[in-house]
Amino acid sequence: MAMWQHEIETMPREELNKLQSERLIWQVKRMYENVELFRRRMDEKGLKPEDIKGVEDLHKLPFSYKQDLRDYYPYGLFAVPMSDIRRVHASSGTTGKQIVVGYTDNDLEAWADCFARMLIATGNDANSFVQVSYGLGLFTGGFGAHDGAVRIGATAIPISAGNTQRQIQTMIDFGATVLCCTPSYAMYLGETIEEMGLKDKLKLKAGIFGAEPWTEEMRAQIEDKLGLKAYDIYGLSEIMGPGVSYECECQAGMHVCEDHFIPEIIDPDTGEVLPEGAQGELVFTTITKEGFPLIRYRTRDICSLNYEVCECGRTHVRMNKPQGRTDDMLIIRGVNVFPSQIEEVLLKVGGGITPNYQIVVDRENNTDTFRVDVEMTEELLSDGVKGIEKVEKQITESLRSTLGIGPKVCLVNPKSITRSEGKAKRVIDNRKLK
Ligand code: DLL
């Protein structure tokens, strides 16, 4: 299996484009026949499946949106009869009705292959013990990692998310060599292990962390606390789940599984395809998915693509860490603010604080208020008020120079910000309630 996967991952671009073209043509035709919304959008554009002759025509196709999944909830966009759907997953997102996605047998195979590619790229094999601490359930994280682990013949430890003490006990007793969870939970596990003085009992070599944005600084801290190499993995329920793209041993961008998904970067305002290397909204077309295929799906994630062949030899395009989402960008007093920028500043400041923070935005007398609560360390707390004020001032100034707008910074007691076992909740925007 490993060899066959690697051949695909290192396919010359010309060959890869040919394969993508064949698969795109197949997908457009079957979706036109089976998905009413897609047919209607094609008809509105005056397009017929025969007009799509290869990847060069991708930009002609209509976009699809998260709202479509809500409008056609739960199964209205599936392209096969329900008797061919073997499993469904769902994602609630932060707002609104949950979205439902479905997989055929072949889709589940492809998904396991994609996750397996990452496990192999990061040094795993049948001797690995993969602790799956993403939620196993309707969330795609747990099952994606589990099926990938099984695919490479490793020993899966499907513990799911939560119960930190038990996670640590299991990690040690069962000899986990790979940990799969969100980066914020990895950080929390690392902090707890540090406090318990158990780091030298761990056998972890690699961590596969994704499902939310995280920074290079956070990577360094997690690697230090858990004594492993931390790799980024990206995915979204609508396209497949974890493994749409993944970091290899070079940790230099995430390879998109281009034999299954074609990425594009567009200007989110005009919808125009941007030149290579530009930053914009990531869009995906699924070219092998049978159950729930999507054409030109607007992810809302902001990133750029790098088509240079990676040092590892893989030709599949690399996306950089998403810099945020078009829909989680905060506009505070007219200034665009991404939570990731704040996190980067906090991790650079380092001393006296932990990377646990929360952004609180509100509106008073028609003016936005902007506060960042950051947990301080026990040491700083025992230093007293003067030391605390000094760090608060330092953070305020760093944030002002990075963001162009200065928040009120409050250092709060250690462990006072609620920890998440899945995706961290970093932003409380009270303006939405007003
Ligand atoms: O979070 C799938 C996943 C599970 C990916 C486990 C990686 C690991 P959703 O819940 O549908 O699916 O959320 C998808 O999460 O559009 C991004 O905004 C964000 N996201 C996922 N991975 C990353 C990452 C899963 N590595 C949404 N970096 C996506 C930044 C990420 N953001």
Side-chain angles (χ1 to χ4, degrees):
M1 191 284 305
M3 198 51 225
W4 171 77
Q5 290 288 312
H6 202 65
E7 258 169 43
I8 290 180
E9 291 175 283
T10 54
M11 207 178 237
R13 170 109 343 239
E14 214 172 285
E15 234 175 277
L16 189 57
N17 283 349
K18 200 164 152 257
L19 179 73
Q20 289 178 328
S21 290
E22 282 163 15
R23 291 181 169 178
L24 178 67
I25 291 166
W26 168 82
Q27 186 68 282
V28 167
K29 184 166 179 295
R30 64 186 288 276
M31 279 183 68
Y32 192 81
E33 283 160 11
N34 297 310
V35 184
E36 181 243 315
L37 176 66
F38 179 68
R39 186 167 51 245
R40 183 151 45 82
R41 290 211 172 125
M42 289 283 279
D43 290 346
E44 277 164 13
K45 278 184 157 251
L47 274 174
K48 290 273 168 258
E50 310 79 81
D51 298 328
I52 304 303
K53 301 199 162 52
V55 280
E56 65 281 8
D57 294 325
L58 185 62
H59 69 279
K60 295 181 184 160
L61 291 163
F63 288 121
S64 48
Y65 307 86
K66 189 157 205 158
Q67 190 56 40
D68 300 340
L69 279 81
R70 301 211 164 102
D71 293 346
Y72 285 78
Y73 174 87
Y75 306 137
L77 298 175
F78 289 8
V80 296
M82 285 310 286
S83 55
D84 288 341
I85 294 288
R86 211 59 67 229
R87 202 158 87 207
V88 290
H89 280 281
S91 153
S92 50
T94 41
T95 49
K97 197 153 69 174
Q98 65 178 342
I99 54 153
V100 179
V101 298
Y103 304 78
T104 64
D105 286 326
N106 285 336
D107 295 338
L108 291 172
E109 289 286 314
W111 186 10
D113 280 346
C114 291
F115 204 101
R117 285 179 194 178
M118 167 160 209
L119 285 169
I120 290 167
T122 55
N124 298 291
D125 57 26
N127 298 309
S128 302
F129 290 79
V130 186
Q131 180 149 336
V132 179
S133 307
Y134 289 118
L136 274 142
L138 284 177
F139 176 52
T140 54
F143 273 96
H146 178 82
D147 290 350
V150 171
R151 174 55 48 93
I152 66 160
T155 305
I157 310 173
I159 186 168
S160 195
N163 198 338
T164 303
Q165 297 298 324
R166 188 158 164 259
Q167 294 279 351
I168 295 169
Q169 185 82 51
T170 306
M171 209 179 282
I172 294 169
D173 294 351
F174 295 13
T177 57
V178 192
L179 173 65
C180 305
C181 63
T182 56
S184 51
Y185 194 47
M187 185 69 113
Y188 181 43
L189 284 167
E191 280 172 3
T192 314
I193 286 166
E194 209 167 50
E195 271 170 27
M196 295 167 83
L198 292 173
K199 186 177 164 189
D200 61 349
K201 299 252 179 324
L202 300 177
K203 295 207 178 68
L204 292 173
K205 290 196 189 80
I208 295 185
F209 306 131
E212 62 184 4
W214 53 310
T215 54
E216 286 304 322
E217 287 82 1
M218 194 157 163
R219 187 200 308 257
Q221 293 205 12
I222 295 174
E223 290 191 337
D224 177 54
K225 286 188 196 321
L226 291 171
L228 46 66
K229 261 189 110 173
Y231 299 97
D232 199 357
I233 183 165
Y234 168 90
L236 60 165
S237 315
E238 299 91 305
I239 298 303
M240 186 178 76
V244 170
S245 70
Y246 61 91
E247 268 185 349
C248 63
E249 63 272 28
C250 301
Q251 292 176 308
M254 294 182 274
H255 292 281
V256 176
C257 291
E258 276 194 274
D259 49 326
H260 295 292
F261 316 108
I262 309 180
E264 295 169 278
I265 296 289
I266 63 157
D267 177 326
D269 297 325
T270 64
E272 229 162 278
V273 179
L274 294 178
E276 232 176 273
Q279 178 158 296
E281 183 181 342
L282 181 63
V283 169
F284 278 113
T285 296
T286 66
I287 48 175
T288 55
K289 266 260 228 62
E290 296 174 342
F292 175 53
L294 282 169
I295 297 280
R296 303 197 83 203
Y297 181 69
R298 305 275 300 252
T299 66
R300 304 258 167 229
D301 290 318
I302 300 162
C303 72
S304 60
L305 296 174
N306 175 1
Y307 282 87
E308 265 172 48
V309 176
C310 182
E311 268 181 41
C312 70
R314 286 178 183 78
T315 51
H316 290 204
V317 67
R318 282 170 284 163
M319 56 182 266
N320 66 353
K321 276 180 179 298
Q323 300 300 298
R325 290 176 56 79
T326 54
D327 51 3
D328 76 8
M329 182 181 77
L330 291 158
I331 303 179
I332 306 172
R333 284 177 240 143
V335 178
N336 296 350
V337 174
F338 286 103
S340 59
Q341 293 173 297
I342 295 177
E343 183 163 324
E344 224 161 280
V345 167
L346 294 179
L347 285 157
K348 272 195 189 125
V349 168
I353 57 164
T354 73
N356 298 302
Y357 69 96
Q358 210 151 40
I359 302 160
V360 186
V361 190
D362 212 328
R363 183 162 290 149
E364 274 165 29
N365 304 325
N366 286 328
T367 309
D368 294 335
T369 61
F370 175 23
R371 193 179 84 223
V372 180
D373 293 340
V374 189
E375 273 182 19
M376 62 186 127
T377 57
E378 293 285 355
E379 295 83 67
L380 184 64
L381 181 62
S382 58
D383 271 5
V385 181
K386 268 216 169 117
I388 296 173
E389 280 176 358
K390 194 171 148 220
V391 178
E392 278 177 346
K393 200 159 161 244
Q394 187 193 351
I395 300 173
T396 311
E397 274 159 22
S398 306
L399 285 173
R400 182 176 291 118
S401 78
T402 303
L403 306 173
I405 172 177
K408 181 172 169 39
V409 173
C410 290
L411 293 192
V412 297
N413 283 337
K415 310 247 154 46
S416 60
I417 294 177
T418 315
R419 298 293 191 278
S420 156
E421 291 153 354
K423 302 186 194 226
K425 184 166 172 48
R426 301 292 195 199
V427 181
I428 300 175
D429 192 346
N430 292 320
R431 295 175 303 182
K432 288 187 184 147
L433 307 171
K434 296 189 170 166

